[in-house]
Amino acid sequence: MLEEEVEIASAVVVLAAASKKRKRSIWQREYFSRRDLSTAVASELLLDNWLFVNFARMSKSDFELLVGMVGPKIRKADTEKRKAIPVSTRLAITLRFLATGDSYHSLMYLFRVHYSTISLIVREVLEALIEGLKDYIKVSIQTIAI
């Protein structure tokens, strides 16, 4: 009888713990909420063509062309909790990743976007770039006989 009561009490404790949802103490760390500072840095880069080419490995006009091409596909809406990451920042993160091979962690400090979000951004932007540029890219695959 005692074993059955212990099993029932254990099941009640497990169910009660599973049903309680942990309330977030913070929604976003303060460092990431100051993302406007990194957006200001990106704006400064856009003003100087040499700096921008050195940073993104492409001209400003090519960057703006890509923003126009993939912008509607990667744009996110603002929520009550936080502002969405701008299209230009999402594209800049991806281009910087491709140009330098930096880790998501180092990009996190450069753009003030968490590395887990960067991993999602890079995937989404690359898919949009592939879709948007598929008419411009011609690849033929040839099999090599060995």
Side-chain angles (χ1 to χ4, degrees), residues 1-17:
M1 191 74 168
L2 183 61
E3 289 179 19
E4 287 179 11
E5 291 174 355
V6 170
E7 288 177 7
I8 292 171
S10 299
V12 168
V13 169
V14 168
L15 289 174

Side-chain angles (χ1 to χ4, degrees), residues 9-145:
S10 299
V12 168
V13 169
V14 168
L15 289 174
S19 66
K20 287 184 180 179
K21 201 171 189 180
R22 191 186 76 148
K23 193 160 189 147
R24 290 184 184 215
S25 58
I26 56 172
W27 184 261
Q28 183 180 17
R29 298 232 179 258
E30 185 179 336
Y31 178 79
F32 299 115
S33 67
R34 295 190 311 256
R35 186 176 299 135
D36 292 339
L37 295 175
S38 65
T39 304
V41 170
S43 299
E44 288 289 323
L45 285 172
L46 284 172
L47 294 176
D48 187 337
N49 193 43
W50 182 84
L51 282 176
F52 186 81
V53 169
N54 193 29
F55 180 80
R57 307 292 199 263
M58 69 171 42
S59 68
K60 291 188 296 186
S61 61
D62 288 342
F63 182 80
E64 291 166 0
L65 178 73
L66 286 178
V67 167
M69 191 177 292
V70 300
K73 297 174 187 163
I74 63 173
R75 180 169 283 116
K76 301 294 180 185
D78 292 341
T79 65
E80 291 180 16
K81 301 284 185 185
R82 63 180 176 263
K83 294 171 82 173
I85 300 168
V87 170
S88 58
T89 303
R90 296 168 68 81
L91 182 59
I93 288 170
T94 304
L95 293 176
R96 186 69 181 172
F97 172 73
L98 292 173
T100 63
D102 283 349
S103 68
Y104 292 160
H105 279 84
S106 70
L107 292 172
M108 174 176 74
Y109 296 111
L110 180 62
F111 289 99
R112 294 181 185 257
V113 176
H114 197 267
Y115 67 88
S116 61
T117 306
I118 289 176
S119 69
L120 297 173
I121 287 172
V122 168
R123 179 181 207 124
E124 288 174 1
V125 173
L126 287 176
E127 287 173 358
L129 284 171
I130 290 168
E131 180 66 29
L133 296 173
K134 69 181 176 186
D135 294 335
Y136 299 97
I137 301 172
K138 304 292 181 199
V139 178
S140 73
I141 300 173
Q142 299 175 354
T143 56
I144 301 172

